[in-house]
Amino acid sequence: MFWATLIGLICLKILLMPSYTSTDFEVHRNWLAITYSLPMKQWYTENHSNWTLDYPPFFALFEYLLSLVAYYFDPKMLDVNNLNYKSQNTLLFQRFSVIVMDLFYAYGVKECGRYFSDSKLRKSSKWKSQWNSPSAILIILLLTNATLLLIDHIHFQYNGFLFGILLISVVRMLEDKKFESAVWFLILLNLKHIFMYMAPAYFIYLLRNYCFLGNSVSRNTFSMKNCVKLGLAVVTVFMISFGPFILYGEFFQVLSRLFPFKRGLSHSYWAPNFWALYNGLDRVLFFLGKKLGYSMKGQSGGMTAGLVQQYEHSVLPSIYPSYTFIITFITIIPALWKLWLNPGNPLHFVRTLIICAFSSFSFGWHVHEKAILLPVIPLTLMSVIWRKEAVIFLILSTVGHYSVFPLLYEQFELVTKVSITLIYSVYAFCNLPQLYNVKRSSFSFSLLNHFETLYIFSLSLLFLYEHCFQYMLGLDKKYPFLPLMFTSVHNSCGVIYCYVAYYWYYLKLQDSNHKRKAY
């Protein structure tokens, strides 16, 4: 089952090769050129292009290793002065490199499927076919994640590779291999620093369950050996990653590239989070003020212009990076406290990861739409265990898939992105309810209540407005920003709903509930 799905998926990815590529294609081509053509000490100072290297050193090393192979496809792509270069061989190499690196993701998925198949919690004789067992559904939902397909194999990035390492780390934690899990996560942090938002969950769980032995926190149960072992792992991995740049005196230059706070509160296409609602309210108040004759500051386009830059809000107080950090930190504290109070429960560790990812996506600075994968991927694991988490997954994953549609704006990709999303969503809505013996209603989507079902259906109305009604009503010239604004605000409502519902569910969940069967 796993291999059949994987082979079919690889064939689909090959068929997607001629698709549109975003500026991220040039970003990674330029990084190949930087790491191949320049000495290491210049990797984070080179600025021939706007697309300077802004990922941690392990990812820079990853690009360098790829460049050694890229040379045999087309050496011209490795010239730092050859900006916006895109030969056919360059396209083939970069597309194939993503497919090959996705094998890390496939391995992580396979390990997750094996864990949920072998675990005592998963054993059941009622699954007559291997295709409708919990582990099979989990494998298919993870392998065929629509957002990953759209972002990595059309838009162009290496998220599958990174989330594969995350899955390996998570499954090792579930298997009680805490030290190995920590090392994998440290490697991941030095590949892409966005995963630092998940670090608090690792810190609390490892401190409570690895540095302290047993269920009590006392001097007698504290393991200095394990604590030192973890500390050495942290120092070793970070020194291997950042050590050369410390020696070159470029450490702070690297940090300035990793945390470019001048990019603004929201990404150019408004990730569907709390700040999209905030921005939307600011726009509404601006237009109302103008209509009522008040003198309003700012431009009418403002943050709806689809550009990456800083803006001052017109009516509401402007938001600064420190505000988003404080809010994000405060919102994860209850989840971390619950994790601390419930030692020895790796499923609560996964739930806390999800909450940390939810909080960072909802309140973080300059959040990209693809960051919705941070809560969606680990939530997929929980969706085959508990019914409530399956409900949240169905809503969040559907909204997440739709929220990346604005990134694939060319008409040529319209059928592709809609087809991939519909097929994935239909599979999820049809198969997850089988795990919980839910009879299909004539109105609602099985697990969802009527309100949640109406919200999912409203996505189709949003789609029709963007692609039909706006032109029929003649609004495309006067208010060209409305589709983007409506998409962000509408999807933000779904994301915030899932966030609050899941957080409330987690805080109320009793540890004793895990002693009963999941189905």
Side-chain angles (χ1 to χ4, degrees):
M1 182 277 301
F2 169 81
W3 293 109
T5 305
L6 179 61
I7 292 172
L9 195 59
I10 290 174
C11 293
L12 173 62
K13 292 173 181 178
I14 293 174
L15 291 176
L16 292 175
M17 280 189 173
S19 300
Y20 147 85
T21 55
S22 72
T23 53
D24 281 327
F25 184 87
E26 169 61 15
V27 169
H28 288 279
R29 187 216 59 81
N30 190 52
W31 292 1
L32 289 173
I34 290 172
T35 55
Y36 183 85
S37 304
L38 301 176
M40 184 180 288
K41 64 180 180 180
Q42 296 180 27
W43 285 0
Y44 289 91
T45 57
E46 192 280 334
N47 58 2
H48 283 82
S49 165
N50 291 329
W51 318 120
T52 52
L53 186 57
D54 59 6
Y55 275 24
F58 274 2
F59 199 91
L61 180 60
F62 164 71
E63 292 279 3
Y64 170 72
L65 294 175
L66 286 181
S67 72
L68 299 180
V69 181
Y71 176 83
Y72 295 98
F73 280 75
D74 187 349
K76 292 181 180 179
M77 77 171 83
L78 303 177
D79 184 351
V80 292
N81 297 309
N82 212 357
L83 302 181
N84 298 309
Y85 182 79
K86 190 178 179 181
S87 67
Q88 186 62 30
N89 280 355
T90 302
L91 177 68
L92 289 175
F93 170 76
Q94 291 196 236
R95 290 293 197 196
F96 271 119
S97 69
V98 177
I99 294 174
V100 172
M101 296 314 299
D102 271 0
L103 294 178
F104 275 87
Y105 184 69
Y107 175 72
V109 171
K110 191 173 188 297
E111 287 294 282
C112 290
R114 177 187 58 77
Y115 172 81
F116 284 106
S117 177
D118 294 344
S119 170
K120 293 180 180 179
L121 183 65
R122 304 289 92 231
K123 286 183 178 178
S124 175
S125 60
K126 74 175 183 176
W127 310 113
K128 298 179 181 180
S129 169
Q130 63 170 339
W131 286 93
N132 70 350
S133 66
S135 60
I137 292 174
L138 173 64
I139 286 172
I140 294 173
L141 288 176
L142 284 172
L143 274 183
T144 62
N145 184 284
T147 301
L148 271 179
L149 280 172
L150 297 176
I151 293 295
D152 282 15
H153 299 280
I154 298 179
H155 186 77
F156 191 85
Q157 286 190 358
Y158 292 93
N159 294 293
F161 163 56
L162 299 169
F163 278 101
I165 296 177
L166 176 65
L167 287 179
I168 295 170
S169 175
V170 169
V171 79
R172 293 295 177 260
M173 194 73 83
L174 292 172
E175 293 172 335
D176 203 31
K177 299 176 181 178
K178 301 181 186 71
F179 182 77
E180 184 179 346
S181 172
V183 172
W184 278 111
F185 184 70
L186 288 169
I187 293 171
L188 180 61
L189 276 181
N190 285 275
L191 282 165
K192 191 167 185 180
H193 50 304
I194 193 173
F195 291 96
M196 67 184 292
Y197 289 115
M198 291 181 165
Y202 275 88
F203 175 78
I204 294 296
Y205 189 79
L206 290 169
L207 179 64
R208 187 70 175 86
N209 297 277
Y210 189 71
C211 294
F212 288 97
L213 307 177
N215 292 330
S216 63
V217 180
S218 68
R219 183 179 301 177
N220 294 331
T221 62
F222 181 73
S223 173
M224 180 59 71
K225 176 183 177 182
N226 286 352
C227 190
V228 170
K229 190 176 177 182
L230 270 181
L232 287 175
V234 172
V235 171
T236 300
V237 173
F238 274 88
M239 284 305 298
I240 293 173
S241 177
F242 286 90
F245 300 96
I246 295 174
L247 294 176
Y248 294 139
E250 297 292 337
F251 176 70
F252 291 104
Q253 173 62 24
V254 175
L255 291 184
S256 68
R257 287 284 183 86
L258 298 184
F259 302 100
F261 291 117
K262 293 183 179 180
R263 288 186 175 181
L265 173 64
S266 298
H267 187 257
S268 56
Y269 292 104
W270 281 24
N273 60 8
F274 177 82
W275 303 122
L277 297 176
Y278 191 86
N279 297 339
L281 178 60
D282 186 68
R283 289 295 93 196
V284 171
L285 294 175
F286 176 87
F287 283 111
L288 288 177
K290 294 287 279 188
K291 291 292 184 181
L292 295 173
Y294 290 100
S295 177
M296 310 298 292
K297 66 176 182 177
Q299 298 290 326
S300 61
M303 292 186 178
T304 55
L307 302 174
V308 179
Q309 53 186 294
Q310 285 184 298
Y311 291 99
E312 294 290 323
H313 287 87
S314 299
V315 181
L316 299 176
S318 294
I319 304 299
Y320 300 100
S322 58
Y323 298 177
T324 64
F325 175 79
I326 293 170
I327 295 172
T328 302
F329 179 74
I330 290 174
T331 55
I332 67 174
I333 290 176
L336 296 177
W337 182 242
K338 183 176 178 68
L339 183 63
W340 177 267
L341 294 178
N342 292 274
N345 191 335
L347 293 183
H348 275 358
F349 162 73
V350 179
R351 292 186 176 103
T352 307
L353 277 185
I354 296 168
I355 294 297
C356 289
F358 252 134
S359 294
S360 66
F361 184 84
S362 299
F363 302 109
W365 179 264
H366 195 75
V367 175
H368 194 289
E369 291 83 354
K370 68 175 181 288
I372 194 66
L373 288 167
L374 288 172
V376 167
I377 295 296
L379 185 57
T380 311
L381 302 177
M382 307 307 298
S383 70
V384 300
I385 302 179
W386 303 99
R387 175 172 173 160
K388 181 63 177 179
E389 288 166 297
V391 172
I392 301 298
F393 166 77
L394 288 173
I395 301 171
L396 184 67
S397 63
T398 305
V399 171
H401 303 328
Y402 193 94
S403 68
V404 301
F405 277 16
L407 298 175
L408 313 175
Y409 53 83
E410 293 192 355
Q411 289 299 314
F412 181 74
E413 271 69 45
L414 183 61
V415 173
T416 302
K417 66 185 182 183
V418 171
S419 299
I420 289 175
T421 299
L422 279 178
I423 292 171
Y424 182 88
S425 298
V426 168
Y427 175 84
F429 276 100
C430 289
N431 285 274
L432 275 179
Q434 297 180 25
L435 302 180
Y436 306 98
N437 298 320
V438 177
K439 294 182 179 179
R440 294 183 182 177
S441 165
S442 59
F443 178 67
S444 67
F445 284 146
S446 301
L447 292 173
L448 276 58
N449 60 37
H450 290 338
F451 169 76
E452 294 163 345
T453 302
L454 283 172
Y455 177 78
I456 294 298
F457 270 122
S458 68
L459 288 170
S460 61
L461 298 178
L462 183 63
F463 182 83
L464 288 174
Y465 170 78
E466 180 181 356
H467 295 279
C468 299
F469 298 156
Q470 177 172 247
Y471 300 98
M472 293 169 59
L473 297 173
L475 298 176
D476 55 313
K477 297 288 194 296
K478 190 174 182 181
Y479 302 113
F481 60 85
L482 279 181
L484 172 61
M485 184 174 173
F486 285 163
T487 298
S488 298
V489 171
H490 179 280
N491 291 348
S492 299
C493 293
V495 171
I496 298 301
Y497 172 81
C498 290
Y499 175 45
V500 173
Y502 191 77
Y503 214 142
W504 182 245
Y505 159 79
Y506 176 40
L507 293 179
K508 291 197 306 179
L509 193 63
Q510 299 296 319
D511 194 51
S512 59
N513 288 344
H514 292 85
K515 296 180 181 178
R516 65 179 176 85
K517 291 185 177 180
Y519 305 107

